Amino acid sequence: MEEISDIKVIKGSIPVLLSAPHAHSHKRPSLTMSYKWGEEYTDRIVEEICLRTAGWGVIQNKETDYDPNWYKIKNNPYKSTIADIISKEKVTKFIDIHGLSDEYEYDLGIYYPSKFNKSIALANDISLAINKGKLRGINICIFRFPDSLQESLGEYVADKLRVPSVQIEIARYIREDEKLRNVFVQNISSFLLM
């Protein structure tokens, strides 16, 4: 494990990279430039999946004055670190872990970038992998990233680096419940080790 400023890198040995860019508060690009609260347990989920699979991981490890998910690579050390790992380690899958806002009425959202068809297949495969055990029957919705001028990590990785990517947004009740969180980690880990 290596810490670079506000970024923790987990070294792996399989060509999979997981990310938790919003584990702590971060400044969102908006007119008010206000801070958005961190998404609890996303860092722990990435750490546990990396431990079980020997996957690579990148985690925001303290508050930042930029949004690691949205800022362009020029002003984004988090996105630069992702790009370096993907290039050097020949990563074949990128999974970006987020917390789902309480305003949504589904349990899990999986977003894929529309510019790379292999990301759609990855989103479908992950949905099937998660929907097992105590998580069988949860409401999983798969969405295309909305068209905007912003460039999420998943969109950047698929469009610029040509690696299949998804962003998974997990409901708070799953993240906060240790048993459900462990089932999520186990289901994703089993999928990555297939």
Side-chain angles (χ1 to χ4, degrees):
M1 205 174 315
E2 178 183 350
E3 294 203 18
I4 308 164
S5 178
D6 51 13
I7 303 164
K8 177 171 29 173
V9 174
I10 300 169
K11 295 188 179 204
S13 60
I14 67 169
V16 173
L17 176 58
L18 293 111
S19 165
H22 292 159
H24 296 274
S25 299
H26 52 280
K27 196 178 281 187
R28 270 275 155 98
S30 68
L31 292 176
T32 63
M33 292 304 285
S34 59
Y35 278 84
K36 182 179 180 288
W37 291 105
E39 298 164 351
E40 288 185 304
Y41 299 101
T42 56
D43 51 350
R44 189 172 301 174
I45 289 168
V46 168
E47 288 170 345
E48 291 174 9
I49 294 171
C50 289
L51 182 65
R52 288 178 187 225
T53 65
W56 286 82
V58 179
I59 298 169
Q60 177 201 23
N61 67 1
K62 62 183 169 184
E63 184 177 289
T64 59
D65 61 357
Y66 68 97
D67 185 333
N69 191 46
W70 291 110
Y71 279 60
K72 301 283 185 190
I73 196 163
K74 179 181 171 188
N75 300 312
N76 191 336
Y78 193 96
K79 197 175 273 186
S80 295
T81 300
I82 297 257
D84 288 345
I85 291 170
I86 286 174
S87 298
K88 290 176 185 168
E89 302 304 326
K90 311 233 183 305
V91 168
T92 59
K93 289 181 187 76
F94 176 70
I95 300 173
D96 198 24
I97 302 292
H98 291 258
L100 181 64
S101 173
D102 294 335
E103 69 187 77
Y104 296 106
E105 295 185 11
Y106 49 89
D107 304 307
L108 204 82
I110 302 175
Y111 288 82
Y112 66 88
S114 59
K115 296 176 183 172
F116 195 47
N117 285 336
K118 291 181 180 179
S119 294
I120 299 168
L122 180 60
N124 287 319
D125 291 345
I126 286 176
S127 175
L128 292 172
I130 292 170
N131 194 13
K132 294 181 178 161
K134 289 188 184 258
L135 295 179
R136 179 177 298 284
I138 64 170
N139 187 358
I140 301 173
C141 295
I142 299 175
F143 302 104
R144 182 177 62 82
F145 276 115
D147 293 324
S148 69
L149 297 175
Q150 297 173 328
E151 178 184 68
S152 71
L153 286 165
E155 291 169 307
Y156 172 78
V157 167
D159 189 38
K160 301 286 192 302
L161 305 178
R162 307 304 294 161
V163 171
S165 68
V166 293
Q167 177 175 310
I168 303 176
E169 299 199 3
I170 308 163
R172 181 183 306 278
Y173 83 91
I174 295 172
R175 288 180 285 129
E176 289 179 343
D177 183 292
E178 187 175 355
K179 288 180 183 173
L180 293 177
R181 189 173 65 244
N182 285 338
V183 172
F184 177 86
V185 166
Q186 177 58 48
N187 290 355
I188 291 281
S189 298
S190 296
F191 165 72
L192 294 176
L193 291 172
M194 289 176 25

